[in-house]
Amino acid sequence: AQKITQTQPGMFVQEKEAVTLDCTYDTSDPSYGLFWYKQPSSGEMIFLIYQGSYDQQNATEGRYSLNFQKARKSANLVISASQLGDSAMYFCAMRGEKDKIIFGKGTRLHILP
Amino acid sequence: DAMVIQNPRYQVTQFGKPVTLSCSQTLNHNVMYWYQQKSSQAPKLLFHYYDKDFNNEADTPDNFQSRRPNTSFCFLDIRSPGLGDAAMYLCATSRGLGSEQFFGPGTRLTVL
């Protein structure tokens, strides 16, 4: 069975500090993908970054990077130099068996001025 | 800009009164999805279309139906809304199954 776990329901971080949002996963499929989405209070889900299970290097997109540790089945999102606009809900998601995508429960990030 | 558009952004309906939510895309993606998201929860997939092929999730109530008349448009019909159907409804598209999904802004449904 597939599973995505985000253990941090909420986080408070000072502006300009780096943030790590945790995500662990479980799947028996050797081919899978991991996604991170941001959901501001307006409601729209915004795609941030993707990591494929066979990708050799950790994905990076601007201030976002994915710390992919395959043996530990973790795919943590790292946001460098946090900004007030980073305050939002963050969802980790996985593409697994039959290309089905499942979402974690999310982490609410608050950036403090 | 290519995008996913949902109308209306806010919808109020009465208990039991049918309602239709709409989604359109200019991305020319093959797959369109409908999700239900309740407060502080993860989005829950209701169903998706791959081109014209409709795929219903096993636990999606019969009260929820969908239509995709062409590549660009997809509709969510709630035949008899109950109070428990009040939620944010998100439409998403992707190039293929399992690709990154692009979401619309959502429709917030209130049931009175």
Side-chain angles (χ1 to χ4, degrees):
Chain A
Q2 301 177 113
K3 193 176 178 183
I4 283 273
T5 304
Q6 293 181 255
T7 56
Q8 307 150 309
M11 283 185 73
F12 289 83
V13 173
Q14 210 67 43
E15 190 181 7
K16 298 181 185 175
E17 289 185 353
V19 181
T20 297
L21 303 180
D22 295 342
C23 174
T24 58
Y25 60 91
D26 194 15
T27 180
S28 56
D29 195 331
S31 176
Y32 54 90
L34 296 152
F35 306 83
W36 277 94
Y37 288 88
K38 172 184 178 182
Q39 188 176 40
S41 56
S42 57
E44 183 174 356
M45 297 271 280
I46 302 166
F47 166 70
L48 295 178
I49 197 166
Y50 169 78
Q51 179 87 42
S53 58
Y54 295 120
D55 293 343
Q56 295 295 314
Q57 292 189 319
N58 287 346
T60 60
E61 288 288 347
R63 292 188 299 113
Y64 303 108
S65 60
L66 203 150
N67 184 1
F68 182 45
Q69 298 190 38
K70 198 168 182 177
R72 297 177 65 179
K73 294 190 174 180
S74 76
N76 298 340
L77 177 69
V78 179
I79 306 174
S80 62
S82 58
Q83 302 170 357
L84 295 178
D86 294 332
S87 294
M89 194 77 165
Y90 288 81
F91 289 97
C92 180
M94 178 175 69
R95 179 197 72 237
E97 296 148 25
K98 298 181 183 177
D99 286 331
K100 189 166 181 176
I101 293 183
I102 59 170
F103 286 83
K105 292 187 175 181
T107 296
R108 187 168 296 280
L109 177 64
H110 303 268
I111 305 298
L112 303 172
Chain B
D1 285 341
M3 56 193 343
V4 181
I5 302 161
Q6 289 188 245
N7 286 305
R9 294 291 310 277
Y10 301 91
Q11 176 74 56
V12 180
T13 191
Q14 289 184 322
F15 182 94
K17 186 173 180 182
V19 66
T20 294
L21 310 181
S22 77
C23 176
S24 64
Q25 55 136 340
T26 60
L27 296 160
N28 205 32
H29 282 170
N30 294 315
V31 193
M32 294 187 78
Y33 308 81
W34 279 104
Y35 288 88
Q36 179 193 65
Q37 187 180 27
K38 296 191 176 179
S39 185
S40 299
Q41 295 184 20
K44 178 181 180 298
L45 182 64
L46 296 173
F47 24 60
H48 74 270
Y49 273 95
Y50 191 113
D51 291 331
K52 293 186 177 184
D53 291 336
F54 177 70
N55 296 272
N56 201 27
E57 291 299 298
D59 57 354
T60 298
D62 292 340
N63 199 24
F64 292 86
Q65 304 285 320
S66 185
R67 297 169 282 135
R68 190 179 185 186
N70 53 51
T71 301
S72 302
F73 284 87
C74 195
F75 300 97
L76 170 62
D77 300 308
I78 309 176
R79 294 193 297 190
S80 182
L83 298 178
D85 296 328
M88 175 76 93
Y89 289 87
L90 295 166
C91 174
T93 73
S94 66
R95 202 171 293 112
L97 285 174
S99 304
E100 65 265 29
Q101 297 180 12
F102 295 85
F103 285 80
T107 295
R108 188 169 295 282
L109 178 68
T110 301
V111 181
L112 301 176

